[in-house]
Amino acid sequence: MKRLAGLIIVLLIVLTVSCYVSRMVPPQKNLHPLGEFYLQNSYFGRYSAKSPEAVTSIVWDYRGVDTLFETAVFFLAIIGSLTLFRLNKGQAEEAKRGEPKLELPGPVATVTKVTVAMILAVSASIALHGQLTPGGGFQGGSALAVAPLLIIAVYTKYALEKNGLDKTRAIIIRSIGLLGIALTALVPLLLGGYIMQNQPIFPAKALGVPLGGSLVFYNFFEYLAVGAGFTAVFLLLSIPEEKFRKFLGVRR
Amino acid sequence: MIAVHLAILSITALIGLVFSYLAITERDLLKAVAYSAVQAIAYAIIFYLLMAPDIVLAYVAIAVGIYSALLIFVIGKTGRYEVV
């Protein structure tokens, strides 16, 4: 009852404030000059990124260094959580010991299999089509990370590890992704350009499909890095609490 | 046509507000995670109506999938009920 009263008060306050504020703000009639620049230039103009997707060209070309730093922040966050959960060799072996078992009814397992396959396909298309349609490396990678999450929820984490995707491999895939991003950023330096330059160093088209120059490479490597980074953290988080208590020597 | 969009926008914003209020005041943390996932779905619809499909793709996966799962892991490692 008290919650309901609080909810009504919050709703009333928000509605009053938004009604009051919306009268003061004039409606937007025109594009901002900056937005206009990006819309005109991302594919056709003189400063073209050769990508019909204005957002991806902003993310990885015009404001590419921002995204590079954002990737670095994400990298540090993953490194931080991996450090918190570090185990020695014996403990890592013991954390892996266990049998995959299905705790949920059969139909759930079948639906999960179909869904995981669909998630893999959709995430790959989000990431690899990022220079043509809405989407990109981070979006695709975070969609990809849902697939191992579903497997962990339904079949436990041992099923993932038995099939070859353990923490070490996830970290290796993630490192390949980060290395790829760094190399793609550095390649223009070798060819006499500046760091993270896109056009005209990278090819604009392949087999008639616009690639957006370096955008497709950045998207692909970011896809690997984000997907595998999340997977590594989930594999660590899904180690049962009893095992952690044992590793840490906590008695309760 | 824009009136329909604005109507859907305000309704989903209200749904988001109600569910975030429920998530904050709920003592059972698993239920709170479910409420916040509903709020995330409402916000994803808002982002879509505001023509930000790039945000929608990242937001749905993170706010509904990864964020909820992360919190459920944490609840599994601690306690299910909030004790004041």
Side-chain angles (χ1 to χ4, degrees), chain A residues 31-70:
Chain A
L31 279 175
H32 291 290
L34 189 65
E36 216 166 315
F37 170 83
Y38 285 135
L39 285 178
Q40 283 170 356
N41 279 283
S42 75
Y43 194 54
F44 293 109
R46 279 183 57 214
Y47 303 102
S48 169
K50 296 286 178 211
S51 160
E53 237 281 293
V55 176
T56 309
S57 37
I58 293 170
V59 165
W60 279 116
D61 188 350
Y62 300 115
R63 291 285 174 270
V65 182
D66 283 16
T67 317
L68 207 63
F69 284 126
E70 201 186 296

Side-chain angles (χ1 to χ4, degrees), chain A residues 226-243:
Chain A
V226 171
F230 274 132
T231 308
V233 171
F234 288 138
L235 280 174
L236 280 174
L237 271 177
S238 58
I239 296 173
E241 188 63 12
E242 298 89 57
K243 283 190 181 173

Side-chain angles (χ1 to χ4, degrees), chain A residues 3 6 135 139 237 239 241, chain B residues 21-22 25 54 57 69-70 77:
Chain A
R3 273 174 85 190
Q139 289 91 327
L237 271 177
I239 296 173
E241 188 63 12
Chain B
Y21 179 82
L22 289 176
T25 50
D54 294 80
L57 290 172
L70 206 65
K77 284 181 183 298

Side-chain angles (χ1 to χ4, degrees), chain A residues 83-124:
Chain A
T83 320
L84 273 178
F85 282 100
R86 69 182 183 279
L87 303 172
N88 65 29
K89 214 165 192 177
Q91 288 169 339
E93 281 301 312
E94 192 178 334
K96 274 192 203 174
R97 207 172 299 139
E99 279 305 310
K101 64 167 188 270
L102 188 63
E103 285 159 352
L104 296 164
V108 178
T110 319
V111 170
T112 308
K113 277 179 193 163
V114 177
T115 320
V116 164
M118 274 158 52
I119 288 175
L120 291 180
V122 167
S123 68

Side-chain angles (χ1 to χ4, degrees), chain A residues 74 78 81-82 120 141-152 157 160-161 164-171 173-174 223-238, chain B residues 66 70 73:
Chain A
F74 183 71
I78 300 276
S81 43
L82 292 181
L120 291 180
S142 47
L144 173 69
V146 179
L149 198 59
L150 275 181
I151 297 176
I152 288 172
K157 85 187 196 75
L160 267 186
E161 281 165 351
L165 184 66
D166 59 353
K167 190 191 89 188
T168 322
R169 294 233 174 113
I171 295 174
I173 297 175
R174 177 175 149 283
Y223 172 61
L224 289 184
V226 171
F230 274 132
T231 308
V233 171
F234 288 138
L235 280 174
L236 280 174
L237 271 177
S238 58
Chain B
I66 293 171
L70 206 65
F73 275 133

Side-chain angles (χ1 to χ4, degrees), chain A residues 3-19, chain B residues 10-21:
Chain A
R3 273 174 85 190
L4 198 67
L7 179 61
I8 289 169
I9 292 171
V10 169
L11 277 178
L12 281 179
I13 293 173
V14 169
L15 283 177
T16 323
V17 171
S18 55
C19 279
Chain B
S10 51
I11 291 168
T12 39
L14 275 181
I15 293 174
L17 183 70
V18 169
F19 274 93
S20 48
Y21 179 82

